[in-house]
């Protein structure tokens, strides 16, 4: 996974955390994300942080594609 950035909200919904991951392809995303979610270390950390109550109230997943004029293309 390539972490492209992390943000907190200055104005708007409180306690919102946003992060952006970059992938070379949808196939890479699907393979690496499914591997990550089944990693024993991740499962143990998730289980521990969620044992008393959910840490996250809402998750939104958006897939983006750069425009032709983006500096990423």
């Amino acid at each position: 996974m390539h972490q492209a950035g992390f943000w907190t909200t200055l104005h708007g919904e409180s306690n919102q955390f946003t992060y952006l991951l970059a992938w070379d392809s949808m196939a890479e995303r699907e393979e690496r994300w499914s591997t990550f979610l089944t990693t024993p270390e991740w499962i143990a950390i998730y289980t521990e942080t969620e044992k008393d109550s959910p840490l996250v109230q809402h998750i939104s997943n958006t897939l983006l594609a750069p425009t032709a004029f983006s500096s990423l293309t």
Side-chain angles (χ1 to χ4, degrees):
M1 288 185 223
H2 172 72
Q3 301 166 352
F6 299 90
W7 297 266
T8 57
T9 303
L10 292 177
H11 180 75
E13 276 189 58
S14 61
N15 298 320
Q16 186 171 331
F17 174 73
T18 302
Y19 65 92
L20 183 65
L21 300 174
W23 309 98
D24 290 329
S25 67
M26 287 298 290
E28 177 196 25
R29 176 198 173 272
E30 290 171 12
E31 185 251 322
R32 291 191 180 204
W33 192 251
S34 64
T35 299
F36 168 71
L37 291 177
T38 59
T39 302
E41 182 181 8
W42 164 246
I43 293 169
I45 291 169
Y46 178 82
T47 301
E48 178 64 24
T49 59
E50 297 278 314
K51 72 178 180 182
D52 295 323
S53 66
L55 183 63
V56 176
Q57 292 179 341
H58 174 75
I59 296 174
S60 175
N61 185 14
T62 304
L63 303 176
L64 306 171
T67 62
F69 53 85
S70 172
S71 63
L72 298 175
T73 57

